[in-house]
Every structure is written in structure tokens, then in C-alpha cells.
Amino acid sequence: STFAQSVWEWRNPLPQGHSLNEVVYGDNQFIAVGDYGTIITSPDCATWTERSSGTKNNLRSVTYGNNQFIAVTGAYCYATILTSPDGVTWTERHSMIKKCLNSVAYGNNQFIAVGSSSGRGSRGIILSSPDGVTWTERPSGTRGNLESVTYANNQFITVGDSTILTS
């Protein structure tokens, strides 16, 4: 009755206790993403504030570029791509894409997300976007899952199942 109708609040650890998967720095703040759609932000790595992502999927990766944040998830091989201009307000751009996205990076004026397709004949997935909204699939040439992508020295590098790819 009274007990069943009471409101429960997260108390310890604050601001939340879900596993965190990646952190990025951009626009004078730190953004960390994690399981159950967790997004937390901090200006100084000491005080963290939980933000609403609008999804319960596990967020695997986050990046900053072109004045916006991009977060991706690959939960249950149905990817979600989120964008935010400030790290506070997040917009779901794509949902239920039949792909597992594991990592996202920014460089050379574009975003790159990597992962794998789901179902029979799965393959490594590479998606590119100039703005975080419109994404184009690029051939990876591998059947293996792609786990991580970064940009350095004028090239993207992605690694995965016994695979190293550069572009």
C-alpha cells in the first residue's frame, strides 16, 4: 500500500551505479556513457550529473566532433545512434538498425561507427556520417566483428576479430 506506492531514488553510488563503457572530453566537459542508456556529464571529473538518453540500451561508445556528441549502442544487435549539441539534451537519430555498433570516432570532418551486422552471414560494419544524422554503410571487407575505431595521423584505424583496417 504505502510502501508499494513510494518513490525509490538512487542513493549510492551517486549519481548512478551502472557500468560505464567510455568517456570523452569536448565542449569543456566530460561525457561518460554506459549500460542501461546511462549518460553522465562533468565539468571537472569531480561532480557528475546524470542525463536522460531516452534509451535503455547499453551505450558502448561516445565521441565529440563538429560541435556535437555522438553515442552509439549495439545492444542485442539493434543499434541506436544518439546526438547531442551540448551533452545535456540527446536525440535518438536511428533506432533498431540491425547492426551492433561498438565504437564511434570523429576525424577528417566525419564520424565513423564500427561493429557487426546481425543474423546469417554477419560481417564487419563501417558507417560514415558528415553530421551524425545521415549515415552511409561502407564496405569493410571482413566478416569479423569490428570492436574499436580511432582517428590519428590523417587516418581511421579500426580493430576487431583478428583484423586491423585503415582508411
Side-chain angles (χ1 to χ4, degrees):
S1 52
T2 303
F3 179 75
Q5 294 174 354
S6 63
V7 176
W8 290 85
E9 293 181 24
W10 195 288
R11 291 290 186 198
N12 187 33
L14 289 176
Q16 60 83 46
H18 300 301
S19 293
L20 298 172
N21 298 317
E22 190 165 59
V23 64
V24 69
Y25 181 80
D27 194 26
N28 297 313
Q29 64 182 325
F30 295 90
I31 308 285
V33 298
D35 291 353
Y36 303 103
T38 299
I39 297 176
I40 58 175
T41 66
S42 174
D44 57 10
C45 286
T47 303
W48 291 88
T49 303
E50 189 169 14
R51 306 298 183 181
S52 175
S53 68
T55 184
K56 293 295 181 195
N57 290 341
N58 296 343
L59 295 171
R60 300 285 306 270
S61 184
V62 62
T63 194
Y64 179 78
N66 198 20
N67 297 314
Q68 69 176 331
F69 295 94
I70 306 287
V72 298
T73 178
Y76 312 111
C77 281
Y78 286 97
T80 300
I81 299 172
L82 306 173
T83 66
S84 174
D86 57 10
V88 175
T89 303
W90 291 83
T91 302
E92 188 174 283
R93 296 296 180 179
H94 296 280
S95 179
M96 303 305 284
I97 303 168
K98 288 188 176 183
K99 297 168 182 24
C100 296
L101 296 177
N102 297 320
S103 184
V104 63
Y106 180 81
N108 197 26
N109 298 314
Q110 64 180 330
F111 294 95
I112 300 292
V114 300
S116 66
S117 64
S118 62
R120 298 176 105 172
S122 65
R123 64 194 189 289
I125 293 296
I126 299 173
L127 302 176
S128 67
S129 173
D131 57 10
V133 177
T134 303
W135 292 83
T136 303
E137 188 170 339
R138 306 295 181 188
S140 71
T142 182
R143 291 200 174 280
N145 184 30
L146 299 174
E147 291 288 344
S148 182
V149 62
T150 191
Y151 182 81
N153 295 330
N154 297 317
Q155 66 180 342
F156 286 96
I157 300 157
T158 183
V159 296
D161 296 339
S162 301
T163 302
I164 299 173
L165 301 174
T166 61
S167 174

